[in-house]
């Protein structure tokens, strides 16, 4: 069955860029039926949707992060990625990648990647 | 942004109890609502979508209802595996937003 796995640095310095990749296995990212999303979770703000990206590369971002976020897809590697620039301690969170069907919830999730922003 | 609220924030219950959690949206989201269950250290798990449609593999003791701005998640007979935190999420319009969660302990 479809599985998602996040990877990337667990520690990022303030003002630098957070980069995470989600590897998709057991299925193809090339699907017109699904969006590929990122969600983060902090004790203070709970679950926060960061954005979704479609296999074509079109994307939709949370306006609260839009100026700092880029989502992209690499179909050759069956992966999608998150870049978050100019990070601060407020970006410390568990970051999840997930799949969302059209008019559907997020039905497949990665295990989550803890990212700490600290010098 | 559409704000989601949940009540109660914490619910104390026993095995066999009927449990009801309420989720409210700040504006109408039709039926575009999902419910998730999350256990400590784990990713959320989709339970229901479109307010009342059970995700494949989810036990039938879970049910959902509502439309517009008020929704409920009901567990008909609480099982030991159901002690967890439950979140609602609207996907009617971007940015998609989650409720703050209800912990069932």
């Amino acid at each position: 069955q479809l599985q998602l796995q996040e990877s990337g640095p667990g520690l990022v310095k303030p003002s630098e860029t957070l980069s995470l990749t989600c590897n998709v296995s057991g299925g193809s990212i090339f699907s017109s039926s699904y969006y590929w999303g990122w969600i983060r979770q902090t004790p203070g703000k709970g679950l926060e949707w960061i954005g979704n990206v479609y296999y074509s590369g079109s994307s939709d971002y949370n306006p609260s992060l839009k100026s700092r976020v880029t989502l992209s897809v690499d179909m050759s590697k069956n992966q999608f990625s998150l870049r978050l620039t100019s990070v601060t301690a407020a970006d410390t969170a568990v970051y999840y990648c997930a799949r969302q069907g059209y008019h559907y919830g997020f039905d497949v999730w990665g295990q989550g990647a803890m990212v700490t922003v600290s010098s | 942004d559409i704000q989601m609220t949940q009540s109660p924030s914490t619910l104390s219950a026993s095995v066999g109890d009927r449990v009801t959690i309420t989720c409210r949206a700040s504006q109408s989201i039709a039926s575009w609502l999902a419910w998730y269950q999350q256990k400590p250290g784990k990713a959320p798990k989709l339970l229901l979508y479109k307010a009342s449609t059970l995700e494949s593999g989810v036990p039938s003791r879970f049910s959902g209802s509502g439309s517009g701005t008020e929704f409920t998640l009901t567990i008909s007979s609480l099982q030991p595996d159901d002690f967890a935190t439950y979140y609602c999420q609207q996907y009617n319009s971007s940015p998609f937003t989650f409720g703050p969660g209800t912990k069932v302990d």
Side-chain angles (χ1 to χ4, degrees):
Chain A
Q1 73 278 22
L2 191 84
Q3 291 186 312
L4 306 181
Q5 176 72 58
E6 305 89 351
S7 61
L11 181 64
V12 181
K13 289 182 168 55
S15 79
E16 295 191 347
T17 296
L18 181 161
S19 295
L20 293 173
T21 296
C22 184
N23 187 64
V24 179
S25 59
S28 175
I29 201 168
F30 182 79
S31 171
S32 59
S33 300
Y34 298 103
Y35 299 93
W36 305 94
W38 290 93
I39 299 109
R40 68 182 183 180
Q41 186 170 30
T42 61
K45 290 190 73 175
L47 289 162
E48 181 179 29
W49 175 72
I50 298 170
N52 284 357
V53 64
Y54 198 49
Y55 76 93
S56 63
S58 66
S59 54
D60 184 17
Y61 300 131
N62 191 322
S64 68
L65 298 167
K66 188 173 184 175
S67 63
R68 300 194 290 129
V69 171
T70 304
L71 302 187
S72 59
V73 170
D74 186 336
M75 283 196 284
S76 68
K77 294 182 179 178
N78 218 32
Q79 295 175 336
F80 60 105
S81 300
L82 162 70
R83 285 184 76 248
L84 181 66
T85 61
S86 305
V87 297
T88 69
D91 296 309
T92 294
V94 176
Y95 286 77
Y96 293 101
C97 59
R99 182 183 79 170
Q100 182 181 16
Y102 184 69
H103 278 166
Y104 202 79
F106 289 98
D107 65 336
V108 182
W109 294 64
Q111 65 184 28
M114 177 68 211
V115 178
T116 301
V117 178
S118 174
S119 56
Chain B
D1 299 5
I2 297 175
Q3 308 302 317
M4 307 299 293
T5 59
Q6 288 181 235
S7 59
S9 55
T10 306
L11 192 159
S12 293
S14 301
V15 172
D17 285 353
R18 182 181 182 86
V19 167
T20 299
I21 298 168
T22 299
C23 173
R24 290 185 174 87
S26 60
Q27 63 190 74
S28 177
I29 58 170
S31 295
W32 305 123
L33 184 95
W35 286 99
Y36 300 88
Q37 176 194 67
Q38 187 179 33
K39 295 181 179 178
K42 301 292 187 183
K45 173 188 173 184
L46 179 66
L47 298 176
L48 298 109
Y49 61 95
K50 213 160 71 175
S52 60
T53 304
L54 205 62
E55 171 71 347
S56 176
V58 174
S60 59
R61 62 181 180 272
F62 291 93
S63 64
S65 64
S67 66
T69 62
E70 188 155 335
F71 303 85
T72 58
L73 169 70
T74 299
I75 309 172
S76 61
S77 177
L78 194 70
Q79 298 302 299
D81 192 47
D82 302 338
F83 290 95
T85 300
Y86 294 84
Y87 296 93
C88 58
Q89 178 229 340
Q90 69 82 16
Y91 53 96
N92 176 73
S93 62
S94 177
F96 304 142
T97 46
F98 292 83
T102 295
K103 184 176 182 179
V104 177
D105 62 16

